[in-house]
Amino acid sequence: MLSTNWLVEQIGDIMAAAKTSVDRRQLLVEAAFDQIAESGFEGLRTRAVATAAGIDHSTVHHYFATKQDLITAVVDHAVAQFRSGEPALDQPQLRLREHLELMVRLMRERPNLFTVLSEIDLRAKRDTALRAIVAERDDRWRRTLTALFDQPGWHPNLASGSAAALVIAVVKGSRFYSDPADAAAALEQLLDLLIPEGPQS
């Protein structure tokens, strides 16, 4: 008969190993993210990523079979930082303001995030696999914003799909400002255009 203590120890060992694997994978993702922020995709080297993560280069393939898999994980890591900020549909004007204010705050607090996202968008123009990932992310964002603009209370001749595309275009364009204050001003101007009387509560 196997003792209960032995089973508990084995389960604990398995869980600890799984956690270690997840932690090492995340370290690699974060190291790759930092390298893209600093040197772009052209400077992304798996050996340097492994060194920065404190992991032997020969074991990287255990976590990511290909470099493309690592890039995909970096995209998921970057996009996940926005998901908690998706606007709800109640009080749509206020929710849009909160959504854009979140963008400005992230630009100030995590400038590298927007540098990496810009690099991703540029590379997606010539990378079919990455283009599909970016398209899925943008489609989700567009659907959320379109649903927001489908709510009542907006400018009477506003088209929800076009308004959603405008918000995405302005947010993406504002990433290229070196000063977050300039990005904030651009997004504030967009709010004034979309909500002439200010947010409704």
Side-chain angles (χ1 to χ4, degrees):
M1 291 286 293
L2 296 175
S3 72
T4 301
N5 287 343
W6 184 87
L7 286 173
V8 169
E9 289 174 1
Q10 292 301 304
I11 291 170
D13 289 345
I14 292 170
M15 292 178 66
K19 183 178 185 302
T20 298
S21 179
V22 170
D23 289 346
R24 286 178 177 166
R25 187 180 189 280
Q26 185 62 25
L27 285 172
L28 288 167
V29 170
E30 291 173 1
F33 178 96
D34 290 343
Q35 197 170 105
I36 293 169
E38 182 177 343
S39 306
F41 278 98
E42 291 73 14
L44 182 63
R45 302 288 182 270
T46 55
R47 186 177 295 277
V49 168
T51 299
I55 295 169
D56 189 273
H57 178 255
S58 64
T59 66
V60 171
H61 71 278
H62 290 301
Y63 304 99
F64 300 100
T66 66
K67 187 175 181 179
Q68 185 65 46
D69 291 336
L70 176 60
I71 291 171
T72 299
V74 171
V75 175
D76 290 340
H77 172 69
V79 172
Q81 298 181 56
F82 292 95
R83 287 192 177 135
S84 62
E86 290 183 352
L89 298 183
D90 64 309
Q91 298 181 302
Q93 292 80 18
L94 180 61
R95 299 305 172 221
L96 178 64
R97 182 173 291 278
E98 291 173 345
H99 180 61
L100 295 183
E101 286 174 349
L102 171 65
M103 298 297 105
V104 173
R105 188 166 69 251
L106 288 173
M107 287 176 191
R108 289 193 174 105
E109 296 174 357
R110 304 180 201 170
N112 280 357
L113 174 59
F114 288 85
T115 300
V116 171
L117 288 170
S118 296
E119 287 284 336
I120 288 168
D121 281 338
L122 291 171
R123 184 180 176 92
K125 298 294 184 184
R126 58 185 186 276
D127 184 322
T128 304
L130 190 56
R131 188 183 309 134
I133 296 167
V134 171
E136 187 279 330
R137 179 198 74 188
D138 285 352
D139 284 345
R140 174 176 174 165
W141 190 10
R142 186 176 295 106
R143 287 194 302 271
T144 299
L145 289 170
T146 299
L148 195 72
F149 286 121
D150 279 334
Q151 304 305 304
W154 299 100
H155 198 284
N157 58 0
L158 180 145
S160 59
S162 297
L166 176 62
V167 170
I168 292 171
V170 173
V171 170
K172 287 194 173 195
S174 68
R175 295 174 188 165
F176 293 96
Y177 283 115
S178 58
D179 186 346
D182 292 331
L187 296 182
E188 188 63 37
Q189 181 66 50
L190 176 63
L191 279 168
D192 289 343
L193 292 172
L194 293 171
I195 318 170
E197 301 303 321
Q200 298 177 7
S201 56

